Amino acid sequence: MALDQLSSRGSALDDPTDPSQAYQPFISMDDLMDKLKALNYDDEFIKALKMRPFSRYYFAIQTNPGEQFFLFTSLAAWLVRKLGRPFEQPQEYDDPNSTIATVLDATRDLGITVDFAPNKLKQGYGRHAIYILNCLADRAMEHVHFVWKKPKPPVELEVEEQPIDDEAELLLEKIEEEMAAEDSEEDEDNLLHIDDLQNITNINKSLLEAQKQEEILESNTNSEEWRLEIERV
């Protein structure tokens, strides 16, 4: 965000007709965290000064005013030092009014417009505190010559299929032929030849004829019936 835009926003922070005021602290805080990450605040501020890490929207809403005020002034002092200017690390027992005056003096010395009452910063959170931190972060990024770059999508490399050499291709064909020959032999073993079918048919016919002859030779008439039949004739 350009510095002139931030400066113009400084005079519009208390505009009651702007419907975006309710959401602006969260948007501005989101921008601020990206800038702090770019300025390596994790190592140079959090770890070096043994500060407690805070959430992405820490200064957007009230959680602990005393703690938030101390972190706000400490972060502002660190950003001023990033610009190569002296600023003693604030202490928790320092006079809040004196600390705020020091922060605003350093801010105005950098040409940043501040047209709101100093007591707006005493609570340590809200759009006024975020505005000051955003302006200082912008100046610090200019000082270290940081430039935002457009993200570049990763280039997908096309994998070319390696051609199969002649020897490997011949070996593959030989294996396929052997497998096909084995399958053919198994199929032939499982097939019934026409001669086998004819033999089975002949055997079945012989069995049927023998069964018929047995039925003809076998009689169900007893001897008494035969005798009566002969006498009748």
Side-chain angles (χ1 to χ4, degrees):
M1 183 178 295
L3 292 176
D4 55 347
Q5 290 178 325
L6 279 172
S7 299
S8 63
R9 280 175 50 196
S11 59
L13 290 174
D14 294 315
D15 184 3
T17 62
D18 187 357
S20 67
Q21 289 300 310
Y23 309 99
Q24 193 59 48
F26 296 93
I27 299 173
S28 300
M29 188 68 203
D30 203 49
D31 292 338
L32 173 62
M33 291 303 295
D34 289 337
K35 298 170 188 175
L36 294 178
K37 290 285 186 181
L39 292 169
N40 196 28
Y41 100 113
D42 287 308
D43 293 330
E44 297 182 14
F45 179 72
I46 298 296
K47 293 181 180 179
L49 300 179
K50 297 180 180 179
M51 294 291 181
R52 185 178 67 85
F54 47 85
S55 66
R56 195 168 187 84
Y57 303 108
Y58 180 74
F59 294 111
I61 56 177
Q62 179 180 0
T63 55
N64 185 337
E67 180 188 73
Q68 287 176 298
F69 178 78
F70 175 67
L71 280 175
F72 160 69
T73 55
S74 297
L75 190 56
W78 175 73
L79 289 170
V80 172
R81 291 196 298 270
K82 287 284 288 184
L83 289 163
R85 299 180 177 229
F87 199 120
E88 292 185 5
Q89 173 62 29
Q91 303 298 322
E92 292 186 68
Y93 52 81
D94 289 345
D95 178 33
N97 294 322
S98 177
T99 304
I100 291 173
T102 305
V103 170
L104 291 178
D105 288 342
T107 303
R108 292 190 180 97
D109 289 343
L110 293 169
I112 299 172
T113 302
V114 179
D115 57 359
F116 51 83
N119 61 359
K120 296 288 186 180
L121 300 176
K122 189 176 290 187
Q123 57 190 1
Y125 73 93
R127 56 185 183 272
H128 300 91
I130 298 172
Y131 167 75
I132 294 295
L133 294 175
N134 254 319
C135 291
L136 293 175
D138 279 330
R139 293 301 174 90
M141 292 179 71
E142 283 186 354
H143 182 74
V144 299
H145 305 291
F146 182 88
V147 178
W148 295 106
K149 296 181 180 180
K150 293 182 179 180
K152 295 182 179 180
V155 179
E156 296 183 1
L157 299 177
E158 295 183 359
V159 180
E160 297 182 359
E161 295 183 359
Q162 297 295 332
I164 302 176
D165 55 16
D166 296 338
E167 184 176 352
E169 188 173 357
L170 291 174
L171 179 60
L172 181 61
E173 290 179 356
K174 183 178 180 181
I175 293 174
E176 291 177 350
E177 290 176 358
E178 291 177 354
M179 293 177 64
E182 291 178 359
D183 293 340
S184 177
E185 291 177 359
E186 291 179 358
D187 293 340
E188 289 181 359
D189 293 339
N190 294 329
L191 291 176
L192 288 174
H193 295 286
I194 189 66
D195 295 337
D196 296 334
L197 292 174
Q198 186 64 39
N199 292 334
I200 293 173
T201 303
N202 293 336
I203 292 172
N204 289 336
K205 286 182 178 180
S206 299
L207 292 174
L208 289 173
E209 290 177 357
Q211 185 177 0
K212 288 181 179 179
Q213 291 177 0
E214 289 179 358
E215 291 177 353
I216 293 172
L217 294 175
E218 183 179 357
S219 176
N220 295 327
T221 306
N222 56 31
S223 58
E224 184 64 25
E225 290 177 348
W226 273 107
R227 187 179 62 79
L228 293 174
E229 181 65 23
I230 292 172
E231 290 178 354
R232 186 180 64 81
V233 175

